[in-house]
Amino acid sequence: MQSNDHANKLYIDGQWVNADSGATFDVFNPANGEKIGEAADGSGSDAARAIEAAQKAFGQWAGLTAHQRSEYLYEAYQKMTANREHLARLMTEEQGKPLKASRGEVQYGADFLLWYAEEAKRVYGKTIPAPRSDQRFMVLRQPVGVVAAITPWNYPVSMVTRKVAPALAAGCTIVLKPAEATPLCAVEVFKILHEAGIPAGVANLVTALNPAPVGEVFVQNPLVRKLTFTGSTEVGKILAEGAARQVKRISLELGGHAPFIVFEDSDPVHAAKGAALIKFLNTGQTCISPNRIFVHRSIMAPFIREFKSRVSRMLTGSGFEDGVSIGPLVDNAALQKVQQQVSDALDQGAALVCGGRRLTEDNLDRGHFYAPTVLSDVTPQMLIFREETFGPVAPIIAFDSEEEVLALANDTNYGLAAYIYTNNLSRAMRMFEALNFGIIGINDINPTSAAAPFGGMQESGLGREGGREGIEEYLETKLGGFSI
Ligand code: ADP
């Protein structure tokens, strides 16, 4: 598989084609600002073409047996696994994360293809005892129809398969628009789908520099029966409002503001290790990244000592360099947001434990690098306490009681992930039940898997991806009442 084959084309109805406008846009490496390729600049008319192709393919695809659809997904899984290194290298180039993390993400992306190859065969209906003796009730699960999907740049392979795999498994067809920062990874995923023999029109890709016109067509075209989106809460709300006009089904995976709570009965060294690993994953550009680290006052000193020692040893740089664990931020706007949150916190009395500046030495000024940063004495008045931090900054807040920290943790409009460290089983259960978040890690920093439902409460989203729940989002429920 050659990396730049078809990279500047859309994939519609089984063909690699130019955008209607003939235009392309440049794609850059965020670590050094160098151009790495071009992608087709699709627009509303391309999206409409792709939706028509998906509609045309829907009947046949939905009419295959679940076993047949499963085989295509299994083939795609095998091809993705075989191409893991190639995809991982492209991801590090295009998105910036360290190569080891890219390899992990490709595996995670492939896991969704495998999981839904299996789950396709387990879409069960049911029969229900009817109130009349001459009546029978039967419930069928059927695919919703054409799906429109929009994915973000932070996980440019796995966010694509997390939507495409369950949609195809359910019998839906799909049109996907990836983020403008990472179209090349999406092109590679669609090349794999093509090579796996997935029939023309079943999976379509429309890359675009300007997302809004494509998004509008997704919302307005009546052939689209379901919209699935991963990205910011702000854009998710716009799309949800639009989708409501035709009562389209929607799934939204939006922002998060995860609390990470370290109780006095936990081991502060173990907790600090976990916090350092998950906070700085993907340079903090993860919706389940801890955004508020609450530490019981009695163990604050050993926690900070260990946390600082780990964070200040983290290497920042190109994801291709050995030992680097912190890559670049995606763009200049992301860098500025981080800088603003840090200076606001410092102005309002936070203490800088380490980091706290843009990195420019050794050519790092060619990318958007920010030193891994730890702030202590953070208070609820600071921007960083409320705003999602999509960067390598860890704000630490002291607390004195379980009741107080529960109220502080739940004091957010978001509700995606939360983490707690405790060795008290009763407390773990109390917190698990009382935290208003969709994913709770209990002494565990990685509560995610293709097998598990991922998603948020409140303004973090609607619906779940992964697990049994992930395929439900693409299925309608139909009741048959038979008089016999
Ligand atoms: P982020 O802040 O993570 O970049 P965005 O919500 O801006 O989050 O982007 C996530 C995805 O949403 C990307 O694919 C982006 O192109 C897309 N997007 C952004 N604005 C719109 C819009 N108005 N309509 C449709 N898609 C959009």
Side-chain angles (χ1 to χ4, degrees), residues 132-156:
R132 295 197 327 257
S133 64
D134 67 343
Q135 191 180 39
R136 300 290 181 272
F137 278 151
M138 183 177 185
V139 177
L140 279 191
R141 310 303 311 279
Q142 293 182 312
V144 297
V146 174
V147 174
I150 299 177
T151 51
W153 47 265
N154 58 345
Y155 287 87

Side-chain angles (χ1 to χ4, degrees), residues 150-153 177-180 208 211-216 229-233 235-236 238-239 390:
I150 299 177
T151 51
W153 47 265
K177 190 207 77 63
E180 51 276 25
V214 174
E216 275 159 30
F229 171 78
T230 300
S232 61
T233 295
V235 174
I238 296 171
L239 294 170
F390 232 54

Side-chain angles (χ1 to χ4, degrees), residues 43-108:
S43 62
S45 62
D46 298 299
R49 260 198 301 159
I51 291 166
E52 274 155 34
Q55 175 68 20
K56 196 170 61 139
F58 174 63
Q60 269 200 338
W61 181 250
L64 294 182
T65 65
H67 288 258
Q68 288 169 317
R69 290 196 299 271
S70 170
E71 275 169 30
Y72 285 113
L73 288 171
Y74 188 65
E75 185 68 24
Y77 161 73
Q78 288 186 305
K79 290 201 180 309
M80 185 170 281
T81 311
N83 279 289
R84 185 172 134 172
E85 190 60 21
H86 165 73
L87 263 170
R89 298 192 82 84
L90 176 65
M91 191 187 301
T92 293
E93 209 181 359
E94 187 179 40
Q95 194 270 341
K97 71 184 59 168
L99 195 51
K100 191 169 158 222
S102 294
R103 290 185 184 122
E105 188 193 331
V106 177
Q107 186 58 54
Y108 184 47

Side-chain angles (χ1 to χ4, degrees), residues 310-323:
R310 286 180 173 273
V311 175
S312 37
R313 276 182 279 136
M314 288 178 173
L315 275 185
T316 306
S318 156
F320 286 108
E321 277 167 35
D322 276 349

